Amino acid sequence: MNAINQTLLARASAKLGPQVSIAIGLLVLAVLLAMPLLHLLPGDHALHVSAYSLTLVGKILCYAIVALALDLVWGYAGMLSLGHGLFFALGGYAMGMYLMRQSAGDGLPAFMSFLAWNELPWYWYGTSSFLWAMCLVVLAPGLLALVFGFFAFRSRIKGVYFSIMTQALTFAGMLLFFRNETGFGGNNGFTGFTRILGFDITAQSPRAALFFATVVLLVGSLYLGFCLARSKFGRVLTALRDAENRLMFCGYDPRGYKLFIWVLSAVLCGLAGALYVPQVGIINPSEMAPTQSIEAAVWVALGGRGTLIGPLLGAGLVNGMKSWFTVAFPEYWLFALGALFIVVTLFLPRGVVGLLRKEKDQ
């Protein structure tokens, strides 16, 4: 009887597991969708969500999209990228160019006037149009990823060599954008945004709309990730990750699969960067620093790579800790981050999601 009862309990828990996960996910989604509405309430209302809280959560959601994008290439295709911060920053700079033009009106952006520039560089033409700015948000990271991925995958570069090359790519981008003569604000980057689509960017309604758009992009990216993971394409990716040579022996050319998921991941990062900039109010070359991309890898490792949900949890946990540490103990944050990565590597090889699944199985 005990054995029968245990079997029935195991089956019941197995059926309830996905239902509980879906219920928790819907609850979190409901809270996120309610936040911009609560932000629109008067400031003295008990349920009012402050601009600081909305901005902080919106920033973390943008980082969560980056973590999900990295999980697609690392968790499923087995390619550890240490340069996704570059794609994120390119999307942010594309949106920043539009916001700077909005703030400047008919004149030059403030930093160009300070540097005594007389006219806009050719690559700034058209950036006063929101539609063209959104095209740049997709094209800038997408084309760079396409060119880089084409040559890297054609040369069959993988493993640690691929990681080093992506890190070198983002470092080169950071050095390029640091220079004043490139026309991207140099060390200070872009800031001082005032309007977006004709609305005051600091007003409640635009803030709420940007936050809502971030939630929509996150949910859409997660849905797309699940669709890809459960399709034949996703099964080929996992086979590529686990045994690329066997996959080639079966007649598959891995280069096309790698290139597609690599470019898709870069575009998602660019879209996340485009939503990050108007909410945070600044973009500068520090977003391209290799440490930013390494930190994104920590988010994925902590949450559990190859799970899609895990990287979202990892991004939320790490950035929540970072927000607290940088206020309470700012000089110890990097030590805490390094210790966290070591602990996860040694004791949680499958991340937080793997730990929860192990406890559920027991």
Side-chain angles (χ1 to χ4, degrees):
M1 289 295 294
N2 291 334
I4 295 175
N5 291 334
Q6 290 178 357
T7 303
L8 292 175
L9 287 173
R11 290 180 179 178
S13 62
K15 292 180 179 179
L16 290 175
Q19 296 176 1
V20 172
S21 300
I22 293 174
I24 294 174
L26 291 176
L27 178 61
V28 173
L29 179 60
V31 171
L32 292 176
L33 291 176
M35 287 187 66
L37 299 177
L38 296 177
H39 177 65
L40 297 176
L41 295 175
D44 56 352
H45 197 282
L47 296 178
H48 174 74
V49 174
S50 66
Y52 172 79
S53 300
L54 197 73
T55 300
L56 177 61
V57 177
K59 180 177 72 171
I60 292 176
L61 292 180
C62 291
Y63 287 152
I65 297 170
V66 175
L68 189 149
L70 179 57
D71 191 38
L72 289 175
V73 297
W74 185 25
Y76 286 91
M79 302 181 294
L80 174 56
S81 168
L82 297 179
H84 263 45
L86 175 60
F87 304 131
F88 178 78
L90 286 176
Y93 267 99
M95 177 58 72
M97 293 166 74
Y98 164 76
L99 296 175
M100 292 296 289
R101 294 291 302 277
Q102 287 278 294
S103 302
D106 296 331
L108 295 176
F111 74 91
M112 290 187 182
S113 300
F114 176 78
L115 295 174
W117 288 34
N118 297 320
E119 58 181 3
L120 286 171
W122 63 268
Y123 44 85
W124 275 76
Y125 291 151
T127 51
S128 58
S129 167
F130 180 78
L131 291 178
W132 176 241
M134 291 306 300
C135 289
L136 288 179
V137 166
V138 174
L139 291 175
L143 289 177
L144 178 61
L146 180 65
V147 174
F148 175 84
F150 175 80
F151 289 104
F153 302 143
R154 189 186 67 169
S155 303
R156 299 194 63 185
I157 298 172
K158 54 185 178 179
V160 66
Y161 302 104
F162 181 80
S163 301
I164 292 173
M165 286 187 64
T166 55
Q167 190 174 54
L169 181 67
T170 190
F171 186 70
M174 182 186 69
L175 295 179
L176 178 65
F177 276 70
F178 262 126
R179 301 176 66 89
N180 287 326
E181 59 268 27
T182 56
F184 294 105
N187 182 50
N188 296 322
F190 299 154
T191 189
F193 311 131
T194 57
R195 306 190 69 79
I196 181 170
L197 292 174
F199 297 96
D200 182 2
I201 201 170
T202 60
Q204 286 183 317
S205 297
R207 284 186 182 276
L210 287 168
F211 185 93
F212 180 77
T214 306
V215 175
V216 171
L217 178 60
L218 177 60
V219 174
S221 301
L222 187 60
Y223 177 74
L224 177 62
F226 275 122
C227 290
L228 288 175
R230 294 177 179 178
S231 65
K232 179 182 177 182
F233 179 85
R235 292 192 292 272
V236 172
L237 280 184
T238 54
L240 175 64
R241 175 196 64 195
D242 298 332
E244 182 176 347
N245 291 332
R246 292 185 181 181
L247 187 68
M248 294 175 64
F249 182 77
C250 293
Y252 288 90
D253 186 355
R255 292 176 295 183
Y257 293 92
K258 285 183 176 182
L259 189 60
F260 176 82
I261 201 65
W262 174 250
V263 173
L264 175 63
S265 179
V267 169
L268 289 178
C269 286
L271 292 172
L275 287 170
Y276 170 89
V277 170
Q279 293 184 84
V280 177
I282 188 172
I283 180 69
N284 56 45
S286 64
E287 294 294 339
M288 300 182 187
T291 53
Q292 297 291 93
S293 299
I294 294 173
E295 192 171 321
V298 175
W299 304 338
V300 178
L302 174 63
R305 66 189 185 100
T307 61
L308 294 179
I309 292 294
L312 306 186
L313 296 176
L317 289 172
V318 173
N319 285 286
M321 290 175 57
K322 183 178 182 179
S323 298
W324 179 78
F325 256 94
T326 51
V327 173
F329 308 102
E331 65 273 17
Y332 297 113
W333 163 241
L334 291 179
F335 295 101
L337 180 64
L340 180 65
F341 186 70
I342 293 173
V343 169
V344 169
T345 303
L346 293 178
F347 302 105
L348 297 175
R350 296 183 179 179
V352 174
V353 171
L355 179 63
L356 295 177
R357 287 177 178 176
K358 182 178 180 181
E359 291 179 351
K360 186 185 297 184
D361 294 339
Q362 292 176 349

